[in-house]
């Protein structure tokens, strides 16, 4: 019996990998522009990191982690997200010693045990950025701009940026109490998840997508009315900066995000044609996370973009680039005796940086010409006994159809001349 891939995982097949490379290149270019440097952390971490970092009452920690005990009896978890891991690495490697502001990015797989559907997988990939060290709103604005500019560069429109402030440990408890007062009499009408959230994490009730919960939370108090002076000033300054940068946003007081580490700024970018999984980007500020992970109190902000969702959006808008796989030359030996000479030519051409392929299947010339067309080869170098005897090849220009007998040493030159022209 064939062993299939695990549910919720996807193979990125050769014909699709070019699209991934394209997105990754755009990501790398934009990070270079904004001076964010790549960090690569392991795909598994000690489970405790995520318990502390993401929060024990979040859906991710309660229901979605791939946790296992290794042969040394350690509890490890495949990373469900990368912010906590980047903070761990920042502290462990003392990145704070080199510079006051660390601007980092990552691209890689994340793992969440969730119900798979279009745009939601158990192994998925994120591009994320984290800026550690600055508490001012300008870095929040830069981070949001980076996400917006990336999505614009990919050509995506129809995007909506939602913005909120979730306060800080000073003002959030006051709001929490106000919200609980509002929800207390409605708890029986909430979904079972939200009934348990009421005590442990009431703000998450606002974020529940179930209809009965959205109905019950109509008219709930807004956190904006409870923000302390510091959070309120920060939020107002961020809004002004985004306005200066001509970035449109919609204030969404219900946006609380699914991870506990957020303080102050929270944002999401949605692409509504994706339906239930329309969030392509989510992020926010996490001023308490570094201290939570054992470091000195250090502010941070970042976001992550789901690459699969971006790909779905690009496909929907027909924005994926046509990737050319054209080669310069296809070397066609006529008969197995010519394989050696053909292989020698192939190696020589490749060494000179010419994209070349040959027939490894020992087929006839007709099949080989078809192959050459499949590769969109600019030239075919045919080597038969006659040509080989003169140390020559029959070089066919596939665009013009012109064939000429050229010496082995000339092949490279002829192709290069044509490629340059
Ligand atoms: P998140 O909102 O959990 O945030 O995930 C960010 C993005 O990852 C989502 O908007 C979505 O595009 C994608 N994503 C999440 N789960 C899945 C899934 N199961 N399948 C496919 N795509 C998915 C975080 O992960 C935070 N670490 C972001 C952050 C960085 N906050 C501050 N810094």
């Amino acid at each position: 019996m064939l062993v299939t891939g695990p549910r919720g995982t996807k193979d990125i097949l050769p014909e699709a990998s070019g699209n991934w490379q394209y997105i990754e290149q755009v990501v790398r270019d934009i990070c270079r522009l904004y001076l964010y440097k790549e960090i690569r952390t392991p795909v598994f971490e000690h489970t405790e990191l995520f318990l502390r970092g993401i929060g024990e009452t979040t859906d991710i920690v309660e229901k979605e982690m791939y946790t296992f005990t290794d042969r040394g009896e350690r509890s490890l978890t495949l990373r469900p997200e990368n912010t906590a891991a980047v903070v761990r690495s920042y502290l462990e490697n003392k990145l704070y010693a080199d510079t006051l502001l660390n601007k980092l990015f990552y691209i890689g797989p994340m793992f969440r045990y969730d119900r798979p559907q279009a745009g939601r997988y158990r192994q998925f990939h994120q591009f994320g950025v984290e800026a550690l060290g600055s508490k001012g709103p300008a870095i929040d604005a830069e981070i949001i701009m980076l996400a917006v500019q990336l999505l614009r560069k990919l050509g995506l429109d129809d995007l909506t940026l939602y913005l909120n402030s979730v306060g800080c440990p000073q003002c959030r408890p006051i709001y929490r109490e106000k919200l609980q007062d509002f929800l207390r009499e409605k708890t029986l009408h909430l979904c079972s998840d939200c009934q348990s959230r009421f005590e442990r994490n009431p703000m998450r009730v606002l974020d529940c997508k179930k209809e009965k919960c959205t109905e019950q939370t109509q008219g709930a108090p807004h956190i904006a009315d409870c923000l302390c002076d510091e959070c309120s000033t920060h939020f107002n300054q961020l809004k002004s900066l985004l306005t200066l940068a001509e970035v449109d946003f919609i204030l969404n007081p219900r946006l609380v995000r699914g991870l506990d580490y957020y303080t102050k700024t929270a944002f999401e970018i949605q692409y509504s044609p994706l339906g239930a999984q329309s969030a392509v980007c989510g992020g926010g500020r996490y001023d308490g996370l570094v201290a939570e992970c054992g470091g000195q109190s250090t502010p941070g902000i970042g976001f992550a973009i789901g690459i699969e969702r971006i790909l779905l959006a690009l496909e929907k808008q027909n924005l994926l680039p046509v990737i050319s796989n054209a080669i310069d030359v296809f070397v066609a030996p006529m008969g197995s005796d010519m394989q050696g000479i053909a292989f020698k030519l192939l190696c020589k051409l490749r060494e000179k940086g010419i994209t070349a392929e040959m027939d490894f299947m020992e087929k006839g010339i007709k099949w080989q010409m078809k192959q050459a067309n499949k590769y969109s080869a600019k030239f075919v170098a045919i080597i038969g006994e006659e040509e080989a005897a003169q140390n020559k090849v029959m070089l066919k220009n596939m665009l013009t159809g012109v064939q000429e007998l050229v010496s082995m040493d000339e092949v490279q030159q002829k192709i290069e001349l044509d490629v340059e022209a």
Side-chain angles (χ1 to χ4, degrees):
M1 251 225 316
L2 203 67
V3 180
T4 54
R7 189 163 132 79
T9 65
K10 269 190 160 189
D11 298 310
I12 300 166
L13 297 174
E15 74 257 25
S17 57
N19 293 332
W20 284 77
Q21 285 158 13
Y22 161 68
I23 294 181
E24 284 165 13
Q25 194 51 53
V26 178
V27 159
R28 287 179 193 286
D29 291 347
I30 212 110
C31 287
R32 172 80 194 99
L33 207 61
Y34 280 69
L35 297 189
Y36 283 71
K37 289 196 181 146
E38 185 171 10
I39 182 162
R40 299 187 192 197
T41 57
V43 293
F44 60 87
E45 297 277 348
H46 287 121
T47 303
E48 195 196 339
L49 176 72
F50 300 118
L51 300 186
R52 274 209 252 164
I54 300 173
E56 302 209 23
T57 61
T58 55
D59 283 356
I60 295 183
V61 167
E62 282 187 341
K63 307 182 199 162
E64 298 174 4
M65 294 208 304
Y66 278 93
T67 298
F68 59 98
T69 309
D70 76 359
R71 286 167 196 273
E73 297 300 314
R74 296 170 201 92
S75 178
L76 301 172
T77 294
L78 297 183
R79 59 183 185 190
E81 62 102 50
N82 212 25
T83 309
V86 167
V87 166
R88 195 266 310 138
S89 174
Y90 165 85
L91 289 173
E92 198 170 334
N93 297 293
K94 299 187 174 57
L95 298 187
Y96 48 83
D98 301 336
T99 166
L100 285 177
L101 177 62
N102 268 276
K103 304 211 292 187
L104 307 164
F105 84 90
Y106 49 85
I107 306 174
M110 309 291 153
F111 308 85
R112 293 184 194 176
Y113 188 85
D114 206 340
R115 207 153 32 84
Q117 53 179 269
R120 198 208 276 159
Y121 313 99
R122 291 185 174 167
Q123 174 174 325
F124 59 98
H125 297 76
Q126 284 185 342
F127 153 57
V129 303
E130 313 293 347
L132 289 148
S134 168
K135 65 180 170 58
I139 196 75
D140 303 37
E142 170 177 275
I143 287 267
I144 294 174
M145 264 315 290
L146 195 161
V148 167
Q149 194 174 341
L150 170 74
L151 297 169
R152 279 188 193 151
K153 202 164 170 198
L154 290 167
L156 287 171
D157 41 38
D158 266 359
L159 294 162
T160 315
L161 166 64
Y162 293 101
L163 197 63
N164 193 20
S165 172
V166 293
C168 70
Q170 263 74 53
C171 50
R172 199 160 29 204
I174 302 167
Y175 175 66
R176 196 187 138 108
E177 222 166 274
K178 248 185 156 178
L179 185 62
Q180 274 179 326
D181 288 345
F182 171 85
L183 290 173
R184 191 155 286 116
E185 280 174 9
K186 305 172 191 287
T187 43
L188 285 178
H189 306 288
L190 300 173
C191 73
S192 56
D193 276 346
C194 284
Q195 287 187 12
S196 70
R197 282 172 188 147
F198 171 76
E199 277 301 338
R200 298 184 303 154
N201 208 341
M203 282 171 72
R204 291 284 296 143
V205 178
L206 293 177
D207 203 30
C208 183
K209 304 288 181 290
K210 299 210 180 76
E211 208 180 316
K212 57 178 174 182
C213 299
T214 1
E215 261 171 34
Q216 292 301 321
T217 50
Q218 289 301 321
H222 286 180
I223 189 159
D225 301 325
C226 295
L227 293 179
C228 62
D229 285 349
E230 191 188 315
C231 287
S232 170
T233 308
H234 185 98
F235 196 34
N236 287 334
Q237 286 174 339
L238 171 61
K239 287 184 275 185
S240 309
L241 286 164
L242 290 176
T243 307
L244 279 176
E246 298 179 19
V247 174
D248 293 333
F249 56 85
I250 294 179
L251 295 179
N252 179 1
R254 304 176 82 93
L255 178 70
V256 290
R257 312 259 312 120
L259 303 111
D260 274 358
Y261 49 61
Y262 291 116
T263 53
K264 297 194 172 103
T265 311
F267 66 96
E268 244 170 48
I269 301 178
Q270 303 218 356
Y271 177 70
S272 55
L274 290 185
Q277 308 306 321
S278 59
V280 291
C281 170
R285 182 166 273 284
Y286 45 87
D287 291 347
L289 183 58
V290 178
E292 189 64 51
C293 294
Q296 289 224 332
S297 172
T298 308
I301 177 159
F303 70 73
I305 282 181
I307 301 184
E308 283 83 355
R309 293 192 190 172
I310 294 296
L311 270 165
L312 285 173
L314 291 176
E315 259 165 37
K316 261 194 193 305
Q317 285 193 224
N318 229 345
L319 286 167
L320 285 169
V322 180
I323 297 159
S324 160
N325 286 317
I327 65 168
D328 295 324
V329 58
F330 187 86
V331 181
M334 292 184 45
S336 47
D337 292 352
M338 297 300 120
Q339 284 257 326
I341 303 172
F343 186 66
K344 189 174 168 195
L345 176 64
L346 180 76
C347 295
K348 222 171 105 184
L349 292 170
R350 284 176 172 169
E351 246 170 47
K352 300 288 176 199
I354 289 174
T355 324
E357 182 56 298
M358 75 175 255
D359 171 31
F360 291 101
M361 303 309 294
E362 303 190 21
K363 296 273 192 186
I365 188 69
K366 234 172 144 184
W367 186 88
Q368 296 198 49
M369 292 310 278
K370 269 198 200 147
Q371 277 303 104
N373 275 325
K374 223 167 133 185
Y375 286 117
S376 309
K378 293 179 194 125
F379 289 91
V380 179
I382 303 161
I383 310 175
E385 270 176 29
E386 257 177 57
E387 288 85 8
Q390 302 170 61
N391 199 28
K392 289 188 171 168
V393 305
M394 185 61 80
L395 194 64
K396 179 169 182 179
N397 183 321
M398 297 294 276
L399 192 68
T400 60
V402 173
Q403 297 199 139
E404 58 178 324
L405 202 59
V406 300
S407 76
M408 288 281 182
D409 300 332
E410 268 180 321
V411 177
Q412 172 207 343
Q413 217 182 355
K414 288 267 177 200
I415 294 169
E416 276 174 353
L417 275 177
D418 183 85
V419 172
E420 276 162 27

